[in-house]
Amino acid sequence: MTAEVAVLGVGMHPWGKWGRGFVEYGVAAARAALTDAGLDWREVGSAVGADTVRGGYPGYVAGATFAKALGWQGARVTSVYAACASGAQAINAARAQILAGLAEVVLVVGADAAPKGFFRPAGGDRPDDPDWLRFRVLGATNPAYFGLYARRRMAVHGDTLDDFARVKVKNAAMGALNPNARYRARVTAEEVAASAVVADPLRLLDICATSDGGAAVVLSSMEFARRHGASDAVRIRAVATVTPRYPNTVLDLPDIATDSGRGAEPVGETFRASIAAAAYEEAGVGPEDLSLAEVYDLSTALELQWYEDLGLCGGGEGAKLLRDGVTAPGGRIPVNTSGGLASFGEAVPAQAIAQVCEVTWQLRGQAGDRQVSGARVGLTANQGLFGHGSAVVAVR
């Protein structure tokens, strides 16, 4: 069974390194989304904030933080943390409130002021925290994990450095057309190859940066949308927030273990594939119905993996899909028309919300030079640490 909610408004604060607090970025995005929706903040019945755990105490109560910054008006608040999936989890919480009749209009906001360089775990000893263990026991920073994953694809599927570079070239071309992107310059495969090695085989231009930025959406019940004169609004039809199934035989950040497949037969699909499958099942659509997809390209190699996990092609066929132009602008299923994290960088609580912003603009026909002709169904997908699934299906 599915139940839809309307996307009345979307807004973003451009990504970059602005040197200011995350609240400022979130408030700017929220105001832009409210303006887009044609609503006043006082008409919002609930605010859901996607948390940032690096921003000090306010980051742990993001819903209240943004409500205070916008001006106390009595709205209920919720704060959600699910690492990189926080934005999708926040959208899911907002949708649940609307469908439960707790609020007709909900504002969802995520923003971050990310540190320079690689992410690291918060201080203190936490031996039961797999992310802490990954850093402290293995010394495996995020780029090290990305490099391991790229090597696995090269060994198992025959992917090449040229394939990885093609992903960056494609996404940079889209980012160059996006006013909210941090990096707005096209690059060549030669420039990717010439960039510094960070975690062999990946170069600097194969890996996304850490960024400041914010994104927001205004959701409402379908009845409110009709009363508001937005009966043709983009609709959220499904949100998948599934967790992995044992045994997980493919190393997935931040899990560190020997092959669990030695103790039990593997399940039929990987964790990331199960995220997309749950979204398709709830929405009543399949990969063949998609007009576009926004995926979590922490690295160029990981985008190729998402092609397969979303069912856009068979296992090991992601690079061929890219080479054939299927995921490029004008292809059968353009992927990361926003420019992806390759062009934005990570602003963790905001990025899954930003994906929904891009899909909304595409489904409205408002994406400018990035527009996918006749877009009707869009999917977003990413994952958060500790088994947080994240996928949203939007339709029009």
mmCIF file of all heavy atoms in Angstrom, residues 126-156:
data_model
loop_
_atom_site.group_PDB
_atom_site.id
_atom_site.type_symbol
_atom_site.label_atom_id
_atom_site.label_comp_id
_atom_site.label_asym_id
_atom_site.label_seq_id
_atom_site.Cartn_x
_atom_site.Cartn_y
_atom_site.Cartn_z
ATOM 1 N N ARG A 126 35.031 4.284 21.974
ATOM 2 C CA ARG A 126 33.739 3.615 21.815
ATOM 3 C C ARG A 126 33.964 2.281 21.110
ATOM 4 O O ARG A 126 33.699 2.153 19.903
ATOM 5 C CB ARG A 126 32.763 4.487 21.025
ATOM 6 C CG ARG A 126 32.432 5.809 21.702
ATOM 7 C CD ARG A 126 31.375 6.584 20.928
ATOM 8 N NE ARG A 126 31.699 6.724 19.526
ATOM 9 C CZ ARG A 126 32.607 7.574 19.039
ATOM 10 N NH1 ARG A 126 33.273 8.350 19.866
ATOM 11 N NH2 ARG A 126 32.846 7.645 17.743
ATOM 12 N N PRO A 127 34.467 1.280 21.829
ATOM 13 C CA PRO A 127 34.801 0.005 21.175
ATOM 14 C C PRO A 127 33.597 -0.754 20.623
ATOM 15 O O PRO A 127 33.778 -1.725 19.878
ATOM 16 C CB PRO A 127 35.498 -0.790 22.281
ATOM 17 C CG PRO A 127 35.014 -0.170 23.557
ATOM 18 C CD PRO A 127 34.816 1.278 23.258
ATOM 19 N N ASP A 128 32.375 -0.344 20.953
ATOM 20 C CA ASP A 128 31.195 -0.992 20.373
ATOM 21 C C ASP A 128 30.665 -0.232 19.162
ATOM 22 O O ASP A 128 29.619 -0.578 18.620
ATOM 23 C CB ASP A 128 30.087 -1.129 21.422
ATOM 24 C CG ASP A 128 29.669 0.212 22.020
ATOM 25 O OD1 ASP A 128 30.398 1.212 21.814
ATOM 26 O OD2 ASP A 128 28.619 0.259 22.694
ATOM 27 N N ASP A 129 31.378 0.801 18.726
ATOM 28 C CA ASP A 129 30.986 1.627 17.586
ATOM 29 C C ASP A 129 31.793 1.176 16.370
ATOM 30 O O ASP A 129 33.017 1.370 16.324
ATOM 31 C CB ASP A 129 31.270 3.092 17.916
ATOM 32 C CG ASP A 129 30.965 4.042 16.763
ATOM 33 O OD1 ASP A 129 30.759 3.576 15.625
ATOM 34 O OD2 ASP A 129 30.962 5.265 17.005
ATOM 35 N N PRO A 130 31.152 0.553 15.363
ATOM 36 C CA PRO A 130 31.918 0.050 14.220
ATOM 37 C C PRO A 130 32.631 1.141 13.437
ATOM 38 O O PRO A 130 33.682 0.894 12.834
ATOM 39 C CB PRO A 130 30.859 -0.664 13.367
ATOM 40 C CG PRO A 130 29.553 -0.091 13.797
ATOM 41 C CD PRO A 130 29.716 0.250 15.241
ATOM 42 N N ASP A 131 32.091 2.358 13.427
ATOM 43 C CA ASP A 131 32.750 3.442 12.722
ATOM 44 C C ASP A 131 34.032 3.837 13.449
ATOM 45 O O ASP A 131 35.077 4.058 12.837
ATOM 46 C CB ASP A 131 31.793 4.634 12.613
ATOM 47 C CG ASP A 131 32.249 5.635 11.570
ATOM 48 O OD1 ASP A 131 32.789 5.208 10.537
ATOM 49 O OD2 ASP A 131 32.061 6.841 11.787
ATOM 50 N N TRP A 132 33.961 3.928 14.775
ATOM 51 C CA TRP A 132 35.151 4.228 15.585
ATOM 52 C C TRP A 132 36.202 3.153 15.381
ATOM 53 O O TRP A 132 37.392 3.430 15.207
ATOM 54 C CB TRP A 132 34.736 4.324 17.055
ATOM 55 C CG TRP A 132 35.835 4.694 18.005
ATOM 56 C CD1 TRP A 132 36.224 5.942 18.382
ATOM 57 C CD2 TRP A 132 36.693 3.778 18.707
ATOM 58 N NE1 TRP A 132 37.266 5.869 19.279
ATOM 59 C CE2 TRP A 132 37.570 4.550 19.497
ATOM 60 C CE3 TRP A 132 36.792 2.387 18.750
ATOM 61 C CZ2 TRP A 132 38.539 3.977 20.316
ATOM 62 C CZ3 TRP A 132 37.755 1.812 19.561
ATOM 63 C CH2 TRP A 132 38.625 2.595 20.333
ATOM 64 N N LEU A 133 35.782 1.889 15.381
ATOM 65 C CA LEU A 133 36.710 0.783 15.176
ATOM 66 C C LEU A 133 37.366 0.844 13.807
ATOM 67 O O LEU A 133 38.559 0.560 13.642
ATOM 68 C CB LEU A 133 35.974 -0.551 15.337
ATOM 69 C CG LEU A 133 35.547 -0.933 16.758
ATOM 70 C CD1 LEU A 133 34.627 -2.147 16.713
ATOM 71 C CD2 LEU A 133 36.762 -1.222 17.627
ATOM 72 N N ARG A 134 36.575 1.221 12.804
ATOM 73 C CA ARG A 134 37.117 1.297 11.447
ATOM 74 C C ARG A 134 38.272 2.281 11.380
ATOM 75 O O ARG A 134 39.316 2.025 10.765
ATOM 76 C CB ARG A 134 36.006 1.712 10.476
ATOM 77 C CG ARG A 134 36.485 2.005 9.066
ATOM 78 C CD ARG A 134 35.313 2.256 8.142
ATOM 79 N NE ARG A 134 34.539 3.415 8.522
ATOM 80 C CZ ARG A 134 34.775 4.660 8.065
ATOM 81 N NH1 ARG A 134 35.782 4.869 7.238
ATOM 82 N NH2 ARG A 134 34.022 5.658 8.427
ATOM 83 N N PHE A 135 38.097 3.430 12.015
ATOM 84 C CA PHE A 135 39.147 4.434 12.007
ATOM 85 C C PHE A 135 40.323 4.031 12.895
ATOM 86 O O PHE A 135 41.485 4.121 12.493
ATOM 87 C CB PHE A 135 38.587 5.780 12.480
ATOM 88 C CG PHE A 135 37.852 6.557 11.429
ATOM 89 C CD1 PHE A 135 36.494 6.396 11.253
ATOM 90 C CD2 PHE A 135 38.514 7.452 10.616
ATOM 91 C CE1 PHE A 135 35.805 7.130 10.288
ATOM 92 C CE2 PHE A 135 37.842 8.191 9.647
ATOM 93 C CZ PHE A 135 36.488 8.023 9.489
ATOM 94 N N ARG A 136 40.023 3.604 14.115
ATOM 95 C CA ARG A 136 41.074 3.410 15.112
ATOM 96 C C ARG A 136 41.794 2.066 14.971
ATOM 97 O O ARG A 136 42.989 1.980 15.237
ATOM 98 C CB ARG A 136 40.481 3.541 16.517
ATOM 99 C CG ARG A 136 39.845 4.895 16.803
ATOM 100 C CD ARG A 136 40.851 6.038 16.720
ATOM 101 N NE ARG A 136 40.202 7.333 16.852
ATOM 102 C CZ ARG A 136 39.919 7.918 18.017
ATOM 103 N NH1 ARG A 136 40.204 7.297 19.143
ATOM 104 N NH2 ARG A 136 39.353 9.093 18.049
ATOM 105 N N VAL A 137 41.089 1.028 14.607
ATOM 106 C CA VAL A 137 41.713 -0.287 14.509
ATOM 107 C C VAL A 137 42.320 -0.518 13.133
ATOM 108 O O VAL A 137 43.458 -0.976 12.998
ATOM 109 C CB VAL A 137 40.693 -1.404 14.836
ATOM 110 C CG1 VAL A 137 41.334 -2.772 14.652
ATOM 111 C CG2 VAL A 137 40.182 -1.249 16.260
ATOM 112 N N LEU A 138 41.547 -0.187 12.079
ATOM 113 C CA LEU A 138 42.028 -0.390 10.720
ATOM 114 C C LEU A 138 42.749 0.822 10.152
ATOM 115 O O LEU A 138 43.505 0.710 9.193
ATOM 116 C CB LEU A 138 40.860 -0.744 9.794
ATOM 117 C CG LEU A 138 40.175 -2.089 10.006
ATOM 118 C CD1 LEU A 138 39.099 -2.289 8.952
ATOM 119 C CD2 LEU A 138 41.172 -3.220 9.955
ATOM 120 N N GLY A 139 42.475 2.000 10.700
ATOM 121 C CA GLY A 139 43.001 3.219 10.101
ATOM 122 C C GLY A 139 42.372 3.507 8.761
ATOM 123 O O GLY A 139 42.960 4.167 7.896
ATOM 124 N N ALA A 140 41.139 3.017 8.575
ATOM 125 C CA ALA A 140 40.481 3.121 7.267
ATOM 126 C C ALA A 140 39.638 4.389 7.206
ATOM 127 O O ALA A 140 38.491 4.419 7.638
ATOM 128 C CB ALA A 140 39.618 1.896 7.012
ATOM 129 N N THR A 141 40.213 5.450 6.678
ATOM 130 C CA THR A 141 39.442 6.658 6.418
ATOM 131 C C THR A 141 38.431 6.378 5.310
ATOM 132 O O THR A 141 38.505 5.358 4.624
ATOM 133 C CB THR A 141 40.358 7.801 5.974
ATOM 134 O OG1 THR A 141 41.010 7.407 4.758
ATOM 135 C CG2 THR A 141 41.406 8.112 7.038
ATOM 136 N N ASN A 142 37.513 7.304 5.110
ATOM 137 C CA ASN A 142 36.540 7.108 4.035
ATOM 138 C C ASN A 142 37.197 6.890 2.674
ATOM 139 O O ASN A 142 36.837 5.963 1.949
ATOM 140 C CB ASN A 142 35.564 8.290 3.970
ATOM 141 C CG ASN A 142 34.557 8.259 5.097
ATOM 142 O OD1 ASN A 142 34.625 7.411 5.976
ATOM 143 N ND2 ASN A 142 33.629 9.207 5.083
ATOM 144 N N PRO A 143 38.186 7.710 2.279
ATOM 145 C CA PRO A 143 38.818 7.461 0.978
ATOM 146 C C PRO A 143 39.480 6.084 0.884
ATOM 147 O O PRO A 143 39.513 5.485 -0.194
ATOM 148 C CB PRO A 143 39.855 8.589 0.867
ATOM 149 C CG PRO A 143 39.268 9.695 1.667
ATOM 150 C CD PRO A 143 38.623 9.006 2.844
ATOM 151 N N ALA A 144 40.008 5.563 2.008
ATOM 152 C CA ALA A 144 40.593 4.224 1.975
ATOM 153 C C ALA A 144 39.522 3.186 1.640
ATOM 154 O O ALA A 144 39.746 2.258 0.844
ATOM 155 C CB ALA A 144 41.245 3.895 3.320
ATOM 156 N N TYR A 145 38.348 3.353 2.232
ATOM 157 C CA TYR A 145 37.234 2.449 1.919
ATOM 158 C C TYR A 145 36.837 2.575 0.460
ATOM 159 O O TYR A 145 36.621 1.584 -0.238
ATOM 160 C CB TYR A 145 36.053 2.752 2.825
ATOM 161 C CG TYR A 145 34.755 2.127 2.370
ATOM 162 C CD1 TYR A 145 34.522 0.769 2.530
ATOM 163 C CD2 TYR A 145 33.774 2.899 1.754
ATOM 164 C CE1 TYR A 145 33.350 0.190 2.097
ATOM 165 C CE2 TYR A 145 32.596 2.329 1.317
ATOM 166 C CZ TYR A 145 32.389 0.970 1.492
ATOM 167 O OH TYR A 145 31.235 0.395 1.056
ATOM 168 N N PHE A 146 36.743 3.812 -0.032
ATOM 169 C CA PHE A 146 36.371 4.009 -1.434
ATOM 170 C C PHE A 146 37.376 3.317 -2.354
ATOM 171 O O PHE A 146 37.001 2.726 -3.373
ATOM 172 C CB PHE A 146 36.328 5.498 -1.786
ATOM 173 C CG PHE A 146 35.442 6.331 -0.903
ATOM 174 C CD1 PHE A 146 35.706 7.689 -0.731
ATOM 175 C CD2 PHE A 146 34.351 5.778 -0.245
ATOM 176 C CE1 PHE A 146 34.893 8.466 0.073
ATOM 177 C CE2 PHE A 146 33.547 6.559 0.569
ATOM 178 C CZ PHE A 146 33.820 7.909 0.728
ATOM 179 N N GLY A 147 38.661 3.412 -2.009
ATOM 180 C CA GLY A 147 39.685 2.774 -2.814
ATOM 181 C C GLY A 147 39.556 1.264 -2.817
ATOM 182 O O GLY A 147 39.712 0.610 -3.860
ATOM 183 N N LEU A 148 39.254 0.694 -1.642
ATOM 184 C CA LEU A 148 39.052 -0.756 -1.563
ATOM 185 C C LEU A 148 37.878 -1.191 -2.430
ATOM 186 O O LEU A 148 37.935 -2.219 -3.121
ATOM 187 C CB LEU A 148 38.815 -1.165 -0.103
ATOM 188 C CG LEU A 148 40.026 -1.114 0.826
ATOM 189 C CD1 LEU A 148 39.585 -1.304 2.266
ATOM 190 C CD2 LEU A 148 41.054 -2.163 0.437
ATOM 191 N N TYR A 149 36.803 -0.393 -2.399
ATOM 192 C CA TYR A 149 35.631 -0.745 -3.189
ATOM 193 C C TYR A 149 35.935 -0.666 -4.683
ATOM 194 O O TYR A 149 35.494 -1.506 -5.479
ATOM 195 C CB TYR A 149 34.461 0.175 -2.826
ATOM 196 C CG TYR A 149 33.134 -0.525 -2.902
ATOM 197 C CD1 TYR A 149 32.477 -0.941 -1.743
ATOM 198 C CD2 TYR A 149 32.542 -0.816 -4.125
ATOM 199 C CE1 TYR A 149 31.269 -1.618 -1.808
ATOM 200 C CE2 TYR A 149 31.341 -1.496 -4.189
ATOM 201 C CZ TYR A 149 30.708 -1.887 -3.034
ATOM 202 O OH TYR A 149 29.528 -2.565 -3.096
ATOM 203 N N ALA A 150 36.701 0.362 -5.066
ATOM 204 C CA ALA A 150 37.076 0.488 -6.471
ATOM 205 C C ALA A 150 37.928 -0.700 -6.912
ATOM 206 O O ALA A 150 37.730 -1.253 -7.998
ATOM 207 C CB ALA A 150 37.836 1.793 -6.695
ATOM 208 N N ARG A 151 38.875 -1.099 -6.067
ATOM 209 C CA ARG A 151 39.715 -2.254 -6.396
ATOM 210 C C ARG A 151 38.865 -3.525 -6.545
ATOM 211 O O ARG A 151 39.127 -4.362 -7.411
ATOM 212 C CB ARG A 151 40.769 -2.452 -5.317
ATOM 213 C CG ARG A 151 42.001 -1.609 -5.480
ATOM 214 C CD ARG A 151 42.818 -2.053 -6.667
ATOM 215 N NE ARG A 151 43.890 -1.109 -6.955
ATOM 216 C CZ ARG A 151 44.509 -1.006 -8.119
ATOM 217 N NH1 ARG A 151 44.127 -1.791 -9.117
ATOM 218 N NH2 ARG A 151 45.478 -0.153 -8.308
ATOM 219 N N ARG A 152 37.864 -3.663 -5.710
ATOM 220 C CA ARG A 152 37.004 -4.835 -5.800
ATOM 221 C C ARG A 152 36.282 -4.862 -7.146
ATOM 222 O O ARG A 152 36.195 -5.899 -7.799
ATOM 223 C CB ARG A 152 35.992 -4.851 -4.649
ATOM 224 C CG ARG A 152 35.105 -6.098 -4.649
ATOM 225 C CD ARG A 152 34.117 -6.077 -3.493
ATOM 226 N NE ARG A 152 33.419 -7.360 -3.411
ATOM 227 C CZ ARG A 152 32.365 -7.703 -4.150
ATOM 228 N NH1 ARG A 152 31.876 -6.846 -5.031
ATOM 229 N NH2 ARG A 152 31.799 -8.879 -4.023
ATOM 230 N N ARG A 153 35.758 -3.703 -7.574
ATOM 231 C CA ARG A 153 35.071 -3.663 -8.869
ATOM 232 C C ARG A 153 36.043 -3.963 -10.008
ATOM 233 O O ARG A 153 35.676 -4.639 -10.972
ATOM 234 C CB ARG A 153 34.400 -2.297 -9.081
ATOM 235 C CG ARG A 153 33.168 -2.085 -8.222
ATOM 236 C CD ARG A 153 32.289 -0.959 -8.793
ATOM 237 N NE ARG A 153 31.867 -1.231 -10.144
ATOM 238 C CZ ARG A 153 30.808 -1.965 -10.485
ATOM 239 N NH1 ARG A 153 30.055 -2.505 -9.540
ATOM 240 N NH2 ARG A 153 30.487 -2.144 -11.763
ATOM 241 N N MET A 154 37.247 -3.480 -9.907
ATOM 242 C CA MET A 154 38.229 -3.752 -10.949
ATOM 243 C C MET A 154 38.537 -5.246 -11.014
ATOM 244 O O MET A 154 38.640 -5.822 -12.105
ATOM 245 C CB MET A 154 39.510 -2.954 -10.684
ATOM 246 C CG MET A 154 39.318 -1.447 -10.803
ATOM 247 S SD MET A 154 40.770 -0.488 -10.315
ATOM 248 C CE MET A 154 41.778 -0.653 -11.790
ATOM 249 N N ALA A 155 38.654 -5.878 -9.854
ATOM 250 C CA ALA A 155 39.005 -7.289 -9.803
ATOM 251 C C ALA A 155 37.844 -8.187 -10.214
ATOM 252 O O ALA A 155 38.030 -9.181 -10.927
ATOM 253 C CB ALA A 155 39.477 -7.664 -8.394
ATOM 254 N N VAL A 156 36.636 -7.836 -9.776
ATOM 255 C CA VAL A 156 35.479 -8.705 -10.002
ATOM 256 C C VAL A 156 34.823 -8.447 -11.345
ATOM 257 O O VAL A 156 34.398 -9.382 -12.035
ATOM 258 C CB VAL A 156 34.449 -8.540 -8.857
ATOM 259 C CG1 VAL A 156 33.187 -9.353 -9.135
ATOM 260 C CG2 VAL A 156 35.059 -8.961 -7.523
#
